[in-house]
Every structure is written in structure tokens, then in C-alpha cells.
Amino acid sequence: MATNPGKLLQSSRRDFLKGTAAVATILIAPGIFLYKTGQAAAGLEREARWGMLIDTNALSEADVDACVSACQREHGWQTAEGSRTDAQWVRKLRLEEPETGHQKFLPMMCQHCESPPCVDVCPTGASFKRADGIVLVDRHTCIGCRYCMMACPYKARSFIHENLKDQLPVAPRGKGTVESCTMCVHRVDRDGADAVPACAEAVNRNDSKAILFGNLNDPQSEISRRLRELGGTRLRADMGLNPGVRYQGL
Amino acid sequence: MPMLKSKLRFAMLVCVLGLLPGAPGAAEQARSQFGNIAIPDPAKPLSADKCVEPVEIMRRDHMEFLLHQRDETVIDGERGSKYSLVGCMNCHNPAGADGKVVRYEDPQHFCAECHAYASVRIDCFECHADRGLLQSQQGRLDMHAPAWKASAAVPPTSTLQRRLGTVDGD
Amino acid sequence: MQSSIRYAEIRTSSPGYWGILIALFAVALLGVAGAHHMDVEGHHVSGMSNQIVWGLPHVFAIFLIVAASGALNIASLASVFARQDYKPLARFSAILSVALLVGGLAILLLDLGRPERLIVAMTQYNFKSIFAWNIILYTGFVVIVVAYLWLMMERRMQRWSKPAGLVAFLWRLVLTTGTGSIFGFLVAREAFDSALLAPLFIIMSFAFGLAIFILLLMLSFWLDQRELDGSHLQRLRKLLGIFIAAVLYFVVVFHLTKLYGTQNHGFERFILMDGGIYTTLFWLVQIGLGSLLPLALIYAPPLQDSAKSLVAACLLVIVGAFAQLYIIIIGGQAYPLNIFPGYIVASSFFDGVVAEYTPSLWEFLLGFGGLTAALLIAMLVLRVLPIMPEALRAESG
Ligand code: SF4
Ligand code: SF4
């Protein structure tokens, strides 16, 4: 933070107010409904670009499974075995080197591209990139044309093929619209740079951070430091989409 | 086409409900106008003493509030809005003591009562939860409705302190 | 000279005519029912999936939209290229193209996950999206062609019909380019990653549109027992032959350029050699039945004057068209994305495998429903407006 004083100045007042509001919530209203104090959430940080660094060497097959089920629990989606129509926000990919037979497992989800083809092709603008780089579908305006699914190079998106019930409050989802990984945007809005997406929470034990969430725009952030030191692979880098999700160990 | 129809019906509902608080006897008028169907009087919320806006404003404008709020949340990440739908449901459709909740297909549902009366489809609940948060979900899902459980809506101390400028962040 | 052509509504009341209309209407209704079922139940009742996201309805829709712009050719030849011999058929050409477009758009709309949100699609545009542009191009096309038709039909306005025809002609070129670009913009998918896709679509539109045009022309003349001289059919027949050959040529060039780049060898191998149904469709239906056989039917000397062989050729062109679009649209999705070159990939999301697709009854209903709706519109307009010339005699041009 200190390295970027301009940014700090710019956002400090707003953040200060938000911080105060949060304090007020604790002090004044324990257990009472106080509707005007809803500003506790951090909200969207316009200067940030959120990303994730996934260290495939630190992930066993069971870890990747844990990522997937954590995401399912968090957002309330399920996939029946062998289903072609059920949604998969994140999936376990097995990569095998043909010569050696060596296998790797990694979680594959929306890569939150900087120049997302899904956003470019969406006729209504329902596919959009937030100011902080998270790519979402606004399900209120999605017409279900599936053009974005055709355009995504990572097959990251799912169409909801049937009526749903019992959706979770944090992840509204319904028939006839398209969805994908949100980078746990509800956690990001609450916790800002300290957010831990559900998949990361499932695999990060003690100090190991097999999935590291952070701000790619902040050179001091851990993710930027690690990328600087160890590098990270952009999938299909040839397409120049600059995904926000990077992989190590590929 | 269905869109237009529901808009018309909606306008009707707004007229009917808008009359209620203002003019005494308006309810009788409305009742006679629509035969002897009773105007709905949904149950009041269990735990709060007042809504986010006065009742008459909510009756007329709740959809405007929700519409505004939805864009703010989806696009600008504004999670703490007082007009959040989860907030509505927390008060107006909490789980009963036995853990049971009223679903929106049920005419007893807070929203369904008026919407059925005015024949306006409630699209919201095709995607959104039609019930308040269950105890078991609160720890995880509270960010939509900070008022439900105030402490959980506060960012972790480090963030808070950083924001307040009391510590020098990462 | 135009005044020498007399136009008239179709007047027949033969059982055959009404039978055809009722059949078309029934199938169109079934199409609506199929779409409704998919809308209520969700797309899991279709064969479409998260792998094959665009299915049979899209094949029908793209066919109709492509054919729509091609059907306008005859009018363009008359108005823009001053070919007087095509003049009598210009009105029908315009009507048919609007009808086909409406049918195709209806399919696209009804297949949406949220068709009731049409209003969103009409009011919120993302101008970076070729799809959004196409919505404008398609509606614009209908408006322009209807205006053009009116100018042609209104005696006092006829001098304006030529510039209007030019506008319509240019608009349709852009429209087909736009349709082709829907796929051309999908850079991640090897199947579509080609600058040749847009011109290929234009040339395809010529052949498909003309084939439908000839069939409907012959059908309505036959139903209403109007005189249709062989010389007119001969002209259309030659034109169709040229268009089929042109499509074939473009297909060859298309695949050759893809083979030139090594990165596309996998996909080319898939279509041309070991793609199962797609390979069969390509060689047998698209090339054999849809291109070579019609060419033979058109050019073989003993068949030259046979109206039947022309009908057969048109039908085969349409069959081939469906095969070709099926390969482009479905085959292009079935072939797996190559996210990790050099690795063998596997997942629960069907990474690394050729996606399966079996269209369901509902998709067939919706597709055929849109097709028949288009034909129905065209037939009905022929009944209420003087579109068709009373007769096409030997020297009517
Ligand atoms: S990974 Fe796919 S869905 Fe995600 S931003 Fe990129 S193109 Fe869009
Ligand atoms: S399916 Fe929805 S998000 Fe995707 S391109 Fe269509 S309207 Fe946009």
C-alpha cells in the first residue's frame, strides 16, 4: 500500500467511512436490526485487479476434488456423474504427458481474462468485467443465447438447463442463463485483499498457499511477489487474453 | 408480450396499493371495484419493528428499490444495501421454529400474497432464495445482509485497521 | 416495358393448395409447442449440452437466414444489375427473403434460454458484439426489403426502386458477412478460425436461397396453373449450377488454407477423415449428394430440359446445405478445445473428447417449425398481394 500513495489517498476517505460504518454496526447494534448500517462490506476496489495463482505442484488429486466440492457448497451447484448438462463452475482436469505418463491435476475455472471474449460477444452486455477485473454474468440481463460459451477458450461457462430450487442467497442462479466462477465475488466484496475464495480455503493449510488470491495491480501483494519470483503460466497465452488466473508447475 | 401484460397488472397493483394508506375508505373502494376479493394483509415481520422505508412507500416502490439495488450489487459490488432481497426475506420470511420456511409458490408467502392478488409473476425467486437465512447458513452467507449478524459483516481486523490507517498494510 | 408484366394474387382453391397451407401451419404450430416445452422444462430436454451449446435449431436458423439473403438475388439482378429478364420475379424474390429471415429469427429467439427477455435484447446493446449488430442488421433488412418491395409495386414510385434495390443488395452482403462473422469471431475454436468463413457464407447464401426460390416458384405456378415457360427455368438452372460450383470451389479453398496451417491439421483430419458422422456428412451428403449430384442433374445433357431434375437438384442442394451447416456449427463444437497442447486431457466436463450430440424431438420440431413458418408466410403473402406474374411466357422479359 505504502508504495502507492496516490492510490491510498484517493481511496482512503471512502474506506475510512466504510470502516467507521462497520464499527458502528458492532458498537451500536449487537443483535438489533439496524438497516442503515449496511455499509460494512468493503465493496468494489476499482484500483485492484484480482487474480489467483494456482500452484499445481502443491495440489494432489484430492486437493483439486476438495476445491470443486468447496465451490459446490459455497454456491450450491451439483453435477451428477456423467451429466452433460449440469453446471460446473470449476472442474478437475487431469493432464498426462504422453511420453512419460506423468499426471498432474489442476482446477479449471473462469480465468477472468483481461480482454474477455465472452464479454466482447455478449449481445446485451450481461457478460461484463467489473472494475476490479472479475468477470461475471449479470443474470438479470442474460438472455441465454450461449454465445459467450461459444467464445470462451477455456470452456469455463455453463448454461442452466433446468429449473432450480433452493438456491443459496449468495449465489442466485436460475434456468436459461449462463454462469461461471465468480472468484467468490461476495467474499471479495466483503474482505477485499484479505479475501480467500472457497476453493483456496479448501486447500490452503497452515502457511501453504496452493491457491493464492490477491491483487495483481499491487506490486507489493504476495501474488505479485510470487509471480515476479517464480513466474506463472497463462493458459493459451497465444491468444493474448491475459487471464487473471495463473498456474505454476505446468 | 407477457412482459407487457405483467407491467399492466403491476400498474394496477400499484394503483390499488397506493390508494390504501392515503385515503380512508380507499380499501372499501378497491374492494367493491374488484368484487368481494379481500385485499391481502400479509403478516408482519417477526423481529423488527419497522421496515427500511415506511409501509406505503414500500408498497409502491419496492420493485424500484430492488431494481436499483440489484445493479449496484452486481456491477459495483455494493453488498450492504438496505434494499437487499435477502434482507427482505430475513425479516419477512424467516425460518419457523421447526426450521420450516414458506416457499414462494405457497400463497402464504409474504410476497406471494399480494402478487397472487394482482396476478403479477414473481420472477425473483426463480433464481433468488425465497426465504431468510437459516441459522446454519449465516456464518457463510451473511455478506448479503450484514444486519442479520452484525459482527460477521465486519472485515477482518487487519483490513479494518489498514482501512482506518492504524496499520501499514501488506 | 415494366407495364407489360401483369401480376396477380394466387387464386387457386384446389385441395392440394389448402392441404399444403394447413400442413405448413400445423408444423409451424408444432414448432411453437416444441419451443414452449424447451422453455418450460429447460434445455435439458433438448440434445444440447454444455459442450454442444448450439444445436439443431441453430442449424435451421442459420440456414434460413443465409438463404434469406440469397433469395434476394433475383431482385438484385433485376434492379441493380439491370437484368430485365429477372424483373418479373423481383417481387417474389423480396417477399421470400423477408419470410425466410423471419422464420430464422423466430427459431433463434425461441431457442433462447430466456426468450421472454427479447425486450432486453432489443434495448440493451453491446456494440462490440457481432450478435448485437446482427439484431440491427436483421431488423434493418426486413424494413429495407419491405420498403423496396413497396417501391417496386407502387407504380408512381418505381423510379425509386432501383436505388432501393441497391441499398437492399449492399445491406444483404453486410448481413451475410455478419452472419458468417458470428462464427468467424470465435477465435478459440479451430473450426471457425478463418477469414474465409464470411465469404463462404455469402456464396452459400447464393446457392441455398436460389434453390428455395426455384422450388417455391415452381410450386406456386403449378398450384395456380400458371404458364411457366422453360426458358425461364433454364436461366435459373444455369445460375444455380454456377452457384453450386462456386460453393464447392470455396469449400475446397477453405479446407486447403486450413491444411496449410499446421495448427489446424487436427481439426481437418477430424472433418475429412476420422470424424465419424461429420466425415460421413461431409463426403457423402455435402459433397456427394449436395454438390456433385445436383451439378450432374443440372448439366447432364439428357436431363437438360427436365423440370424434375431441376426440382431434384434444388432439393439436394438444400439437403447438402443442412449437412454443411451441421458440420460447421455442430462439428465445430464437437471437436475439443485445445487448452493444453501436448498433454492428454481428461475431466468430468468432457475435456479432450469429441462431444456427443443427438438432437431431440423438440429441436426438430422447433427447426421445422421455423422453416414451415417461413414458407407459410411466403405462401400467404402470395395470396393477398399481386406478387407473382400471371404468366412467364417465352418472351415476357
Ligand atoms: S475464461 Fe472464459 S468466461 Fe472467463 S473471462 Fe475468459 S472468456 Fe470469459
Ligand atoms: S448467454 Fe447471456 S451472458 Fe452469454 S452471451 Fe448470451 S446474453 Fe450474454
Side-chain angles (χ1 to χ4, degrees):
Chain A
M1 270 292 188
T3 53
N4 200 338
K7 202 166 79 182
L8 188 65
L9 271 179
Q10 202 181 28
S11 60
S12 62
R13 200 183 106 85
R14 191 179 57 132
D15 289 344
F16 176 79
L17 290 177
K18 280 189 176 153
T20 338
V23 173
T25 318
I26 317 173
L27 296 183
I28 305 167
I32 317 174
F33 288 94
L34 249 190
Y35 292 93
K36 304 271 180 190
T37 55
Q39 292 302 316
L44 179 143
E45 289 190 18
R46 290 185 181 277
E47 304 81 11
R49 169 151 196 239
W50 303 119
M52 291 200 282
L53 178 57
I54 298 174
D55 183 356
T56 58
N57 288 328
L59 288 173
S60 67
E61 181 174 9
D63 287 334
V64 182
D65 284 330
C67 289
V68 175
S69 26
C71 181
Q72 293 181 326
R73 251 178 288 120
E74 181 79 10
H75 302 103
W77 56 271
Q78 300 95 29
T79 313
E81 178 92 30
S83 167
R84 295 173 189 283
T85 48
D86 284 348
Q88 298 201 26
W89 290 24
V90 54
R91 61 191 191 268
K92 177 179 71 179
L93 267 187
R94 190 186 70 212
L95 302 188
E96 189 182 314
E97 286 175 11
E99 309 83 31
T100 60
H102 176 74
Q103 293 192 342
K104 265 193 237 300
F105 296 89
L106 55 87
M108 183 73 194
M109 69 287 265
C110 172
Q111 304 286 299
H112 298 278
C113 311
E114 188 181 4
S115 342
C118 59
V119 172
D120 286 348
V121 301
C122 176
T124 65
S127 272
F128 72 104
K129 190 175 69 171
R130 298 205 324 173
D132 59 5
I134 296 182
V135 177
L136 296 176
V137 178
D138 183 347
R139 257 77 72 78
H140 301 110
T141 47
C142 170
I143 55 174
C145 67
R146 285 104 79 205
Y147 197 15
C148 54
M149 300 176 71
M150 292 287 280
C152 172
Y154 307 100
K155 241 177 114 188
R157 293 199 155 181
S158 304
F159 181 63
I160 306 185
H161 288 77
E162 57 210 308
N163 289 298
L164 300 181
K165 253 191 115 51
D166 288 324
Q167 293 93 322
L168 298 179
V170 3
R173 39 198 301 269
K175 183 190 74 186
T177 56
V178 164
E179 58 186 12
S180 54
C181 156
T182 65
M183 223 190 256
C184 282
V185 67
H186 52 289
R187 293 183 179 217
V188 176
D189 283 338
R190 182 187 57 178
D191 300 340
D194 295 323
V196 183
C199 56
E201 190 177 79
V203 296
N204 291 354
R205 288 170 224 95
N206 312 322
D207 274 346
S208 90
K209 285 187 179 158
I211 299 183
L212 176 61
F213 171 89
N215 184 356
L216 297 171
N217 275 355
D218 175 3
Q220 294 310 112
S221 68
E222 192 179 347
I223 189 168
S224 299
R225 270 204 309 263
R226 237 161 80 175
L227 278 169
R228 200 161 44 239
E229 282 158 25
L230 304 165
T233 309
R234 300 171 165 94
L235 300 184
R236 288 297 310 259
D238 56 318
M239 304 201 41
L241 308 176
N242 190 17
V245 176
R246 313 280 170 82
Y247 291 84
Q248 279 174 343
L250 284 183
Chain B
M1 209 45 201
M3 186 100 179
L4 191 67
K5 230 196 221 152
S6 71
K7 278 229 169 97
L8 282 175
R9 290 199 188 125
F10 208 72
M12 243 167 68
L13 172 77
V14 169
C15 295
V16 175
L17 295 184
L19 283 173
L20 294 183
E28 278 77 358
Q29 266 176 25
R31 186 168 290 144
S32 56
Q33 199 180 338
F34 291 95
N36 51 6
I37 309 164
I39 287 171
D41 182 23
K44 295 293 170 288
L46 297 174
S47 34
D49 39 22
K50 66 180 183 36
C51 196
V52 291
E53 296 289 349
V55 173
E56 55 271 28
I57 293 181
M58 283 313 279
R59 279 187 181 149
R60 204 175 51 234
D61 293 334
H62 63 281
M63 57 287 179
E64 298 295 338
F65 295 149
L66 286 170
L67 198 68
H68 246 94
Q69 184 274 139
R70 91 179 192 195
D71 289 341
E72 277 170 15
T73 302
V74 177
I75 296 162
D76 294 327
E78 208 52 79
R79 301 271 154 186
S81 164
K82 66 175 179 174
Y83 299 126
S84 110
L85 188 58
V86 177
C88 301
M89 287 299 102
N90 277 342
C91 257
H92 285 293
N93 194 22
D98 51 358
K100 287 223 175 76
V101 281
V102 187
R103 311 312 300 266
Y104 79 101
E105 299 92 343
D106 189 329
Q108 301 298 309
H109 188 278
F110 176 78
C111 304
E113 267 188 79
C114 293
H115 276 259
Y117 176 78
S119 306
V120 181
R121 235 177 76 186
I122 321 176
D123 276 349
C124 307
F125 301 124
E126 275 179 41
C127 297
H128 286 275
D130 58 356
R131 63 217 179 271
L133 294 176
L134 304 172
Q135 283 296 323
S136 63
Q137 294 170 325
Q138 282 171 26
R140 196 151 49 86
L141 306 174
D142 47 21
M143 46 288 297
H144 265 300
W148 182 259
K149 193 178 162 203
S151 56
V154 177
T157 331
S158 61
T159 317
L160 196 61
Q161 287 173 334
R162 187 158 45 82
R163 295 239 161 74
L164 291 169
T166 48
V167 294
D168 202 22
D170 344 297
Chain C
M1 57 195 156
Q2 286 128 349
S3 52
S4 64
I5 316 165
R6 305 239 320 270
Y7 297 90
E9 298 87 352
I10 285 193
R11 301 184 201 89
T12 178
S13 297
S14 66
Y17 173 78
W18 289 113
I20 289 177
L21 278 198
I22 291 170
L24 289 178
F25 185 68
V27 179
L29 267 191
L30 281 177
V32 174
H36 181 70
H37 182 68
M38 283 202 279
D39 185 27
V40 171
E41 289 296 316
H43 275 64
H44 75 103
V45 298
S46 76
M48 289 178 266
S49 61
N50 284 327
Q51 285 68 47
I52 306 291
V53 302
W54 287 352
L56 198 65
H58 300 82
V59 173
F60 273 89
I62 304 281
F63 170 79
L64 287 171
I65 292 169
V66 166
S69 75
L72 195 66
N73 264 337
I74 301 298
S76 302
L77 280 170
S79 301
V80 183
F81 300 99
R83 290 281 303 266
Q84 286 306 319
D85 35 358
Y86 289 111
K87 182 82 199 168
L89 292 173
R91 294 180 179 185
F92 177 54
S93 163
I95 277 299
L96 183 61
S97 78
V98 171
L100 292 174
L101 188 72
V102 169
L105 291 183
I107 298 179
L108 279 190
L109 169 67
L110 290 174
D111 178 75
L112 291 179
R114 288 262 158 195
E116 82 280 8
R117 289 188 187 157
L118 174 66
I119 189 80
V120 176
M122 303 297 279
T123 50
Q124 301 197 7
Y125 289 109
N126 165 21
F127 284 106
K128 270 184 108 177
S129 167
I130 188 77
F131 238 41
W133 281 105
N134 278 347
I135 295 173
I136 300 171
L137 284 176
Y138 295 159
T139 23
F141 183 78
V142 173
V143 172
I144 288 176
V145 175
V146 168
Y148 171 43
L149 184 73
W150 179 71
L151 293 174
M152 278 194 288
M153 293 178 65
E154 178 61 57
R155 199 162 289 251
R156 288 161 301 163
M157 293 292 171
Q158 268 181 6
R159 62 201 173 95
W160 293 107
S161 74
K162 201 178 152 78
L166 183 63
V167 173
F169 173 71
L170 295 177
W171 195 275
R172 59 141 298 195
L173 286 184
V174 179
L175 180 139
T176 323
T177 312
T179 309
S181 309
I182 290 178
F183 300 98
F185 271 84
L186 303 174
V187 284
R189 306 212 179 231
E190 285 174 47
F192 308 130
D193 185 14
S194 167
L196 279 179
L197 218 49
L200 178 65
F201 267 70
I202 291 186
I203 207 72
M204 277 155 62
S205 80
F206 288 6
F208 304 171
L210 188 58
I212 294 200
F213 179 87
I214 296 176
L215 284 177
L216 276 193
L217 174 71
M218 292 175 80
L219 177 71
S220 48
F221 267 64
W222 173 74
L223 282 173
D224 211 26
Q225 293 176 337
R226 297 188 188 188
E227 186 185 343
L228 179 56
D229 186 73
S231 60
H232 295 271
L233 287 181
Q234 223 38 45
R235 212 169 20 236
L236 295 172
R237 180 190 199 106
K238 284 202 194 107
L239 203 56
L240 184 65
I242 294 169
F243 289 163
I244 298 171
V247 173
L248 195 57
Y249 170 76
F250 250 83
V251 168
V252 171
V253 172
F254 181 79
H255 286 288
L256 282 180
T257 52
K258 291 225 119 187
L259 282 170
Y260 189 72
T262 333
Q263 74 276 14
N264 289 321
H265 280 186
F267 179 70
E268 282 303 307
R269 207 188 148 81
F270 174 69
I271 294 296
L272 302 179
M273 290 173 66
D274 51 17
I277 171 86
Y278 304 103
T279 306
T280 317
L281 279 177
F282 180 77
W283 291 111
L284 204 70
V285 186
Q286 181 187 336
I287 301 296
L289 292 180
S291 309
L292 299 178
L293 188 55
L295 280 178
L297 284 171
I298 285 172
Y299 288 114
L303 300 173
Q304 287 258 336
D305 295 321
S306 150
K308 283 202 185 96
S309 77
L310 180 58
V311 170
C314 289
L315 287 173
L316 284 171
V317 166
I318 293 171
V319 170
F322 274 95
Q324 183 170 11
L325 289 169
Y326 195 92
I327 297 165
I328 293 179
I329 298 171
I330 316 262
Q333 298 171 79
Y335 188 72
L337 283 169
N338 194 5
I339 309 171
F340 297 93
Y343 285 101
I344 303 171
V345 210
S347 80
S348 57
F349 211 49
F350 306 93
D351 285 278
V353 295
V354 173
E356 278 173 32
Y357 173 65
T358 318
S360 71
L361 171 68
W362 315 109
E363 294 163 87
F364 274 106
L365 289 183
L366 175 55
F368 276 111
L371 179 64
T372 51
L375 301 182
L376 186 67
I377 294 172
M379 296 294 270
L380 286 178
V381 176
L382 290 188
R383 181 143 198 120
V384 296
L385 289 178
I387 299 293
M388 281 292 195
E390 293 215 304
L392 283 173
R393 299 195 184 83
E395 285 93 20
S396 73

